[in-house]
Amino acid sequence: MTALRQTDVLIVGAGPVGLTLGMVLAQRGAAVTILETRHRGEPPNVKCNHVSARSMEILRRLGVAAAVRDAGLPADYPNDIAYRTSMLGKPITRIPIPCRRDRFTATGGPDTDWPTPEPPHRINQLFLEPILFEHAASMPGITVLNRTEYLSHRQSADGVTVTARDMESGVEFEIEAQYLAGCDGSRSQVRRDIGAKLVGDAVVQRVQSTYLRAPDLIDRLNDAPAWASFSLNPRRSGNVYAIDGRETWLVHNYLRDDEPDFDSVDRDWSIRQILGVDDDFAYEVLSNEDWYGRRLVADSFRSGRVFICGDAAHLWVPYAGYGMNAGIADAECLGWLLAARIAGWGGDAILDAYAAERQPITEQVSVFAMNHAHAMAKERRVIPADIEDDTAQGASARETFGRTLYDLNVQQYCCGGLNFGYYYDASPIIAYDGESQPAYSMAGFTPSTVPGCRTPHVWMAGHRSLYDAMGPDFTLLRLDPGRDASALLNAARLRGIPMQLLDVEPEDRELYGEAFVLSRPDRHVAWRGDACPQDPDALLDVLTGVAAR
């Protein structure tokens, strides 16, 4: 065993979730070490295809959103979702999504006018993860140990000692940290080590998935290309994602209830039925990426000084793109809480907020995803028999089925509710005032300053984003410049709590009904009022976790 190394937070896993957590911590001054079993530069699986608006907001605060948005599909490649009888078959319907060239200027469509400076971005994890890795590795305070395997840990009241192994030399060594975070995926060893168990539905969906190269495919399309092309015919239902917008594609073949496993359906035959090509069409299989859709949430997100994030904590069918994106939200939440505790201004109970806030959200989101998965499975079972017919009856079937598909799926591809509507209603570090947070759906939400909700975004003078003006920490938004904020600001300063004052004049004054709204580092409302609290230290005790203990 080699000499002991030391760090503030040790993260297991350098995927998008682990890298985000590391960046959030490092941005706030914590020392971070990340363990990753892969070689540096080794490509990830072609897993995630979408970065949500909330995730892009986080990446914007970390200074990497612009690089992410400039990568992926070609700038003019349509991000639409097309529904056809096969990829080369007859059109059924289409959901228009702006290409990245037009993302900030497009208007009028269902995926425009997002209330944020960072709308969603369609990009495969192949392109996303290397950008996040290089950005994280360049930040002061972050050390990434590639080809290093987490083995075990032991913890005490003062810290966590992790045993790791250099996979090249076989040498084992120990790292001493204040906290340990398992961002090590669905088979998380950290989760097993803390005794947490995944609870829910182990198999909701089975998808035979193939990553392939087919340079001739795009030129054979009989209408405009799309980011996602769903194929629906009586023989096969599937989906084709454009990966590079030129020659690489990810083909999902949705297995039916009477098809028991991934080998029960001929892969080549299925691919050809989904693409709509004959036996002479040539393609190259790059990898098989078969997967199960699940609805599983860990029964515990924490044991003492050890936490789990992302797929280590929750797994579900990836409708609305909320697998990785929920993990990125986990990472931001845990990151600022850990940083507050390490910096000393957060009380020990501030860390209780992580599970209290994130665990209920994963339950909420997984229910939305599950409901949509069941609805889509139902539609795949009732594909009209004449949907491919070149007749008036066939055209009518496609039109009717297309309306149903559009109304159902526009909710998940333009999911404003899942991005901006979720709230924390049982957090120990939010000062609630008795008003209930407004309900939300997959697509719809009501902006609100009710504590626990996302701080409503507005544009300021000169088209400056409120979020850019707010800065990285607590921001006291003042809607009436005549109101005195000095008592709360001075109390925060004396306790070392980072808080700034920002005077705001939103166009929609009713949206911000109170004179003061205090926004947390993660852009959730912590408190609001028409005057500063008479006892500011009592409020700060709540917000920093001191009052809870």
Side-chain angles (χ1 to χ4, degrees):
M1 192 79 68
T2 60
L4 192 71
R5 307 186 188 194
Q6 291 186 324
T7 190
D8 288 330
V9 181
L10 180 67
I11 299 169
V12 181
V17 175
L19 292 169
T20 300
L21 176 58
M23 288 187 282
V24 171
L25 284 160
Q27 189 181 63
R28 287 167 167 74
V32 180
T33 299
I34 306 177
L35 308 185
E36 173 55 52
T37 58
R38 291 172 295 163
H39 291 278
R40 180 165 183 163
E42 182 177 338
N45 292 333
V46 281
K47 189 177 179 183
C48 175
N49 276 291
H50 173 251
V51 184
S52 72
R54 284 295 285 271
S55 294
M56 289 299 294
E57 289 177 357
I58 294 169
L59 298 183
R60 184 185 183 97
R61 292 195 283 278
L62 294 171
V64 70
V68 169
R69 196 172 291 281
D70 283 344
L73 294 170
D76 60 351
Y77 192 94
N79 283 193
D80 297 358
I81 296 87
Y83 295 84
R84 307 179 177 105
T85 56
S86 68
M87 191 170 180
L88 303 186
K90 293 178 173 62
I92 300 174
T93 191
R94 178 180 286 251
I95 299 172
I97 306 290
C99 65
R100 62 183 173 93
R101 178 198 60 199
D102 302 333
R103 173 45 86 179
F104 292 99
T105 57
T107 59
D111 197 61
T112 61
D113 300 321
W114 288 77
T116 174
E118 289 290 348
H121 181 49
R122 269 75 185 179
I123 180 174
N124 189 269
Q125 192 167 338
L126 277 174
F127 304 105
L128 169 68
E129 191 173 303
I131 294 170
L132 299 184
F133 184 96
E134 293 304 321
H135 188 81
S138 70
M139 292 180 69
I142 294 183
T143 300
V144 182
L145 302 179
N146 285 97
R147 297 293 293 157
T148 303
E149 180 184 17
Y150 161 87
L151 297 178
S152 63
H153 76 268
R154 61 185 187 274
Q155 63 172 310
S156 66
D158 300 320
V160 184
T161 301
V162 170
T163 301
R165 182 174 69 90
D166 185 310
M167 298 171 68
E168 300 295 335
S169 67
V171 173
E172 295 185 7
F173 60 95
E174 290 186 336
I175 303 176
E176 189 176 79
Q178 293 190 52
Y179 300 98
L180 168 65
C183 304
D184 47 342
S186 61
R187 297 188 176 95
S188 171
Q189 183 61 47
V190 176
R191 182 184 66 233
R192 289 194 290 268
D193 286 351
I194 67 173
K197 295 179 175 58
L198 293 172
V199 178
D201 302 304
V203 179
V204 175
Q205 185 180 48
R206 290 156 296 127
V207 182
Q208 188 190 66
S209 187
T210 311
Y211 178 41
L212 56 83
R213 177 179 288 114
D216 297 336
L217 184 60
I218 194 168
D219 292 331
R220 298 187 178 213
L221 292 173
N222 55 25
D223 62 354
W227 166 67
S229 299
F230 281 85
S231 297
L232 297 158
N233 62 62
R235 298 172 303 283
R236 225 49 246 170
S237 294
N239 183 19
V240 183
Y241 281 108
I243 302 302
D244 65 1
R246 294 181 293 275
E247 62 177 14
T248 54
W249 314 85
L250 184 63
V251 182
H252 291 332
N253 170 33
Y254 301 112
L255 300 189
R256 296 168 178 166
D257 292 342
D258 60 351
E259 295 167 345
D261 53 54
F262 297 123
D263 296 325
S264 62
V265 179
D266 182 272
R267 188 179 296 265
D268 175 69
W269 175 82
S270 298
I271 289 172
R272 294 182 186 279
Q273 296 303 312
I274 292 167
L275 297 181
V277 297
D278 56 30
D279 292 342
D280 294 330
F281 181 79
Y283 65 87
E284 175 190 359
V285 174
L286 300 177
S287 62
N288 293 336
E289 304 287 342
D290 302 342
W291 52 273
Y292 292 100
R294 310 180 188 275
R295 180 186 179 268
L296 298 169
V297 180
D299 58 2
S300 175
F301 282 23
R302 175 191 184 187
S303 175
R305 291 175 170 267
V306 184
F307 302 81
I308 54 175
C309 284
D311 284 356
H314 42 74
L315 296 164
W316 53 71
V317 286
Y319 286 95
Y322 231 72
M324 178 198 73
N325 291 294
I328 288 177
D330 292 345
E332 184 188 42
C333 180
L334 179 59
W336 83 264
L337 294 171
L338 286 173
R341 185 69 186 122
I342 291 167
W345 59 263
D348 185 56
I350 199 172
L351 300 179
D352 295 338
Y354 173 62
E357 294 181 354
R358 294 306 304 168
Q359 199 164 9
I361 298 304
T362 60
E363 290 282 1
Q364 291 174 30
V365 172
S366 68
V367 168
F368 283 126
M370 279 287 293
N371 290 343
H372 197 88
H374 289 314
M376 278 301 297
K378 178 182 177 181
E379 294 305 323
R380 287 195 289 267
R381 288 194 294 268
V382 297
I383 296 172
D386 55 357
I387 196 168
E388 296 176 289
D389 290 358
D390 197 12
T391 63
Q393 186 174 348
S396 177
R398 290 189 292 275
E399 182 180 359
T400 301
F401 197 43
R403 286 197 297 269
T404 299
L405 291 172
Y406 184 96
D407 291 343
L408 176 62
N409 287 288
V410 73
Q411 301 174 59
Q412 67 151 323
Y413 290 110
C414 310
C415 51
L418 288 187
N419 273 270
F420 308 127
Y422 73 79
Y423 51 79
Y424 302 139
D425 61 356
S427 174
I429 60 168
I430 290 176
Y432 297 106
D433 56 16
E435 183 175 346
S436 297
Q437 298 86 358
Y440 67 99
S441 64
M442 183 178 280
F445 77 106
T446 302
S448 175
T449 60
V450 173
C453 290
R454 171 182 179 263
T455 304
H457 179 268
V458 295
W459 292 103
M460 302 176 66
H463 200 66
R464 185 186 186 194
S465 166
L466 170 67
Y467 285 4
D468 291 343
M470 284 166 65
D473 299 303
F474 279 101
T475 302
L476 182 60
L477 303 176
R478 183 168 60 178
L479 285 302
D480 180 352
R483 302 293 178 98
D484 183 16
S486 59
L488 181 57
L489 294 170
N490 289 337
R493 179 178 53 80
L494 291 173
R495 296 171 60 149
I497 301 170
M499 184 183 296
Q500 72 176 61
L501 176 67
L502 179 64
D503 286 321
V504 182
E505 295 182 7
E507 294 180 1
D508 186 356
R509 185 64 179 84
E510 292 184 1
L511 182 61
Y512 279 83
E514 292 74 25
F516 294 105
V517 174
L518 183 60
S519 183
R520 306 191 317 183
D522 62 352
R523 305 306 190 247
H524 280 265
V525 176
W527 167 84
R528 63 180 179 172
D530 277 325
C532 273
Q534 293 184 350
D535 187 350
D537 278 306
L539 172 62
L540 296 176
D541 283 348
V542 172
L543 305 186
T544 59
V546 173
R549 289 291 170 90

